[in-house]
Amino acid sequence: MAAQRLDGRLLAAQLETSMAAAIAAGLAKAGRPPGLAVLRVGDDPASAVYVANKEKACARIGAKSFGSHLPANISQAALELELHELNKNPAVDGILVQLPVPASINDRALLQVLDPNKDADGLHPLNLGRLLRGEVGPRSCTPAGVMALLKQAKLPLEGMRAVVVGRSILVGQPMALMLQQANATVTIAHSRSLNLEGICRDAELLVVAAGKPGLIGANHVSPGAVVVDVGIHRRPEGGLCGDVRFAEVEPLARAITPVPGGVGPMTVTMLLLNTLRMWAQRHALAEPCQGL
Amino acid sequence: MAAQRLDGRLLAAQLETSMAAAIAAGLAKAGRPPGLAVLRVGDDPASAVYVANKEKACARIGAKSFGSHLPANISQAALELELHELNKNPAVDGILVQLPVPASINDRALLQVLDPNKDADGLHPLNLGRLLRGEVGPRSCTPAGVMALLKQAKLPLEGMRAVVVGRSILVGQPMALMLQQANATVTIAHSRSLNLEGICRDAELLVVAAGKPGLIGANHVSPGAVVVDVGIHRRPEGGLCGDVRFAEVEPLARAITPVPGGVGPMTVTMLLLNTLRMWAQRHALAEPCQGL
């Protein structure tokens, strides 16, 4: 039997519809739409595409986007000033610094200037601490997107043995915390883990965010496991692939995310949802997409 | 062969000697000793003992303690004001609210009033986020004490399979992060985990912080594992015991912490070390007990 596909494109579209409705419903009371500011520094070509996608998504749901495209040689101080302005701007609910920034910029210091209550990416240390403590706050987008996909598929996480491969701040770490808060028993494996195959085979849920094309194959997956692939890479021969060798793993899995069309589309959606929630909170509106 | 004992009393005494030396060396430049303020609210009898222990430890190393004992019926606002005063007090480097506080007090809100750079316990969300991100900041005392014990015993953590039983904010969660940053492969098990015995038997390092007397026995421990017991409980028949059934587990283990005299004494020591480090940072002194 073929594995269930965890379809991120479909869920993202459904959530966009809900978010558009929440904005339409709240607009009169709030007096303005939610605002997302995306700071782009320098001319990374992939960033240009990502930023454009975020702006288009804002437009689709009726949120306002504030783009700032700053030159690669901008000073740390000037960039921090820009962030301060956005922190103060009452039309802006969420702010995001598109990574990577040029090497001359200290992105950690930059993040500390960002108002944690406008942190659209959920990466400010205070928000990671809130996640750790189970407190309300904007959540890291990619792992929040994975949680939404698992929830949508009604996969019961309670007591499940989950393995997260990769321990980045962007994905692996917050992913592990979110799964744990759903009462899974979570292991984080990483580049220094010994016997990665054996560790992964213990998993009933395997989330792979290693950033290594095709790292995970059939030897890593127990029959019936749920497999979530966060990786996305351009193949030398064209097309995209993930961290999981899909053709090998799919016949074993109970459910699996495709690449593309799995986790990827959910990240922008959760960025919008963080922004919407901060907007709703500022205007004492009901929480949009509650329970996600 | 008997297991190696991880002796917290001995290590705590050694660290106190180092800290006393660091204070003596920095006193002239700093112009004042490190200051630790312990806020105690109400009359929990165990708290009285703990607070007295902290004050005695301060005296032993030459730090100054500022105690405030507030009535159980103090309002949230009055208590927050007290905290604000300590935040502003330039003689205070570390502040600690002794838990538990009376039920009328919202301890989460209280923690948010605390200056994160005076957070002697390392429990402010910002400091947990810093830990998650691998950034400098005061660290949760009990897990930091465990790390110091493991380091002192020269137990190689890199690539080790570690299982932490318990997911509290005080111990389990920060413990898992610290072990992971030492490149262990970490699993957090908890009350909703299925097959706790099997999960624990995978561990080369088992840290038990479940708060359940005698939860862990020989069936949970693989021969040669390192076992760290964070639990401490009063036995109905007198004396203290941990979460681990010591007599059963000790013959199997490669190394083990006794209860009492294992992790317990390290907690106050790490509280002092957090305070000392914040003092040293404020006065641009060398970091005390570097590498711990």
Side-chain angles (χ1 to χ4, degrees):
Chain A
M1 210 184 88
Q4 179 186 357
R5 294 289 169 101
L6 302 173
D7 186 337
R9 279 200 195 108
L10 182 64
L11 181 55
Q14 290 169 348
L15 289 174
E16 282 195 6
T17 304
S18 303
M19 288 193 281
I23 293 174
L27 204 50
K29 188 174 175 195
R32 62 169 183 85
L36 173 66
V38 182
L39 266 182
R40 182 177 157 221
V41 187
D43 294 296
D44 182 72
S47 289
V49 175
Y50 296 145
V51 170
N53 282 343
K54 287 164 189 172
E55 291 174 349
K56 279 183 223 160
C58 280
R60 282 197 301 272
I61 65 167
K64 185 164 178 186
S65 54
F66 298 76
S68 300
H69 186 185
L70 301 160
N73 64 357
I74 192 172
S75 70
Q76 180 87 20
L79 195 51
E80 291 187 2
L81 196 68
E82 196 80 20
L83 259 185
H84 274 298
E85 291 300 320
L86 292 169
N87 282 346
K88 284 189 295 182
N89 185 337
V92 170
D93 297 291
I95 305 169
L96 153 80
V97 179
Q98 181 68 46
L99 299 176
V101 289
S104 56
I105 297 297
N106 179 344
D107 54 347
R108 185 173 281 197
L110 205 59
L111 199 56
Q112 272 157 21
V113 172
L114 179 65
D115 178 350
N117 294 317
K118 292 195 171 185
D119 173 22
D121 255 345
L123 296 178
H124 188 285
L126 181 65
N127 289 323
L128 291 170
R130 285 168 168 167
L131 169 60
L132 193 70
R133 295 181 59 95
E135 294 176 6
V136 172
R139 294 291 189 247
S140 315
C141 300
T142 300
V146 171
M147 294 305 288
L149 273 171
L150 296 171
K151 180 149 197 171
Q152 164 83 357
K154 298 195 167 41
L155 293 164
L157 299 175
E158 168 124 5
M160 212 184 209
R161 288 215 62 172
V163 173
V164 176
V165 183
R167 54 176 164 174
S168 72
I169 286 299
L170 236 67
V171 186
Q173 303 265 25
M175 185 80 256
L177 290 172
M178 291 179 199
L179 290 169
Q180 188 185 273
Q181 281 165 12
N183 289 325
T185 300
V186 185
T187 302
I188 296 193
H190 47 75
S191 55
R192 307 293 183 89
S193 292
L194 305 175
N195 185 20
L196 183 64
E197 287 190 2
I199 294 168
C200 290
R201 274 198 307 267
D202 281 345
E204 296 166 284
L205 167 62
L206 183 62
V207 180
V208 189
K212 291 187 185 153
L215 176 70
I216 299 297
N219 287 344
H220 297 80
V221 178
S222 278
V226 175
V227 179
V228 174
D229 188 353
V230 179
I232 186 153
H233 314 276
R234 213 163 278 286
R235 283 182 210 268
E237 69 273 26
L240 297 169
C241 70
D243 288 354
V244 174
R245 302 196 291 272
F246 188 89
E248 243 180 66
V249 169
E250 195 265 349
L252 287 168
R254 168 175 166 199
I256 190 166
T257 56
V259 175
V263 175
M266 294 301 297
T267 299
V268 173
T269 303
M270 301 319 279
L271 177 78
L272 295 176
L273 185 54
N274 275 337
T275 305
L276 231 71
R277 284 181 170 161
M278 294 188 282
W279 169 77
Q281 212 162 17
R282 283 189 183 100
H283 300 286
L285 301 168
E287 187 185 343
C289 305
Q290 215 178 351
L292 259 202
Chain B
M1 211 184 88
Q4 180 185 357
R5 295 288 171 99
L6 301 173
D7 185 338
R9 277 199 196 110
L10 181 64
L11 180 56
Q14 289 168 350
L15 288 174
E16 282 195 6
T17 304
S18 302
M19 288 192 283
I23 294 175
L27 204 51
K29 188 172 174 197
R32 62 170 184 85
L36 174 66
V38 182
L39 265 182
R40 181 176 158 222
V41 187
D43 293 297
D44 182 72
S47 289
V49 175
Y50 295 144
V51 170
N53 282 342
K54 287 165 189 172
E55 291 174 349
K56 279 182 221 158
C58 280
R60 282 198 300 273
I61 64 167
K64 184 163 179 187
S65 53
F66 298 77
S68 301
H69 186 186
L70 301 161
N73 65 356
I74 190 171
S75 70
Q76 181 88 21
L79 195 52
E80 291 187 2
L81 196 68
E82 196 80 20
L83 259 185
H84 274 299
E85 292 300 320
L86 292 170
N87 282 345
K88 284 189 296 183
N89 186 337
V92 170
D93 298 291
I95 306 170
L96 153 81
V97 180
Q98 181 68 46
L99 298 177
V101 289
S104 57
I105 296 297
N106 178 344
D107 54 348
R108 187 173 280 197
L110 206 59
L111 199 56
Q112 271 157 23
V113 171
L114 178 65
D115 178 349
N117 294 317
K118 291 193 171 185
D119 173 21
D121 256 345
L123 296 178
H124 188 285
L126 181 65
N127 289 322
L128 291 170
R130 284 168 168 168
L131 169 60
L132 193 70
R133 295 182 60 95
E135 295 175 6
V136 172
R139 295 291 189 243
S140 315
C141 300
T142 299
V146 172
M147 293 305 288
L149 273 171
L150 296 172
K151 180 150 195 165
Q152 164 82 357
K154 297 194 166 43
L155 293 165
L157 300 174
E158 169 124 4
M160 214 184 207
R161 286 216 64 171
V163 173
V164 176
V165 183
R167 54 177 164 173
S168 71
I169 286 298
L170 237 67
V171 185
Q173 303 265 25
M175 184 81 257
L177 290 172
M178 290 179 199
L179 289 170
Q180 188 186 274
Q181 280 167 14
N183 290 325
T185 300
V186 185
T187 301
I188 296 193
H190 47 75
S191 55
R192 307 293 184 86
S193 292
L194 306 174
N195 185 20
L196 184 63
E197 287 191 0
I199 294 169
C200 290
R201 274 199 306 267
D202 281 346
E204 297 167 282
L205 167 63
L206 183 63
V207 180
V208 190
K212 291 187 186 152
L215 175 71
I216 299 298
N219 287 343
H220 296 80
V221 177
S222 278
V226 175
V227 180
V228 174
D229 188 353
V230 178
I232 187 153
H233 312 277
R234 214 162 279 286
R235 284 182 209 269
E237 69 272 25
L240 297 169
C241 69
D243 289 355
V244 175
R245 303 196 289 275
F246 188 88
E248 241 179 67
V249 169
E250 195 264 351
L252 286 167
R254 170 175 164 196
I256 190 166
T257 57
V259 174
V263 176
M266 294 301 297
T267 300
V268 174
T269 303
M270 300 319 280
L271 177 78
L272 295 176
L273 185 54
N274 275 337
T275 305
L276 230 72
R277 283 180 171 163
M278 293 187 282
W279 170 77
Q281 212 162 18
R282 281 187 185 102
H283 299 286
L285 301 168
E287 187 184 344
C289 305
Q290 214 178 350
L292 259 202

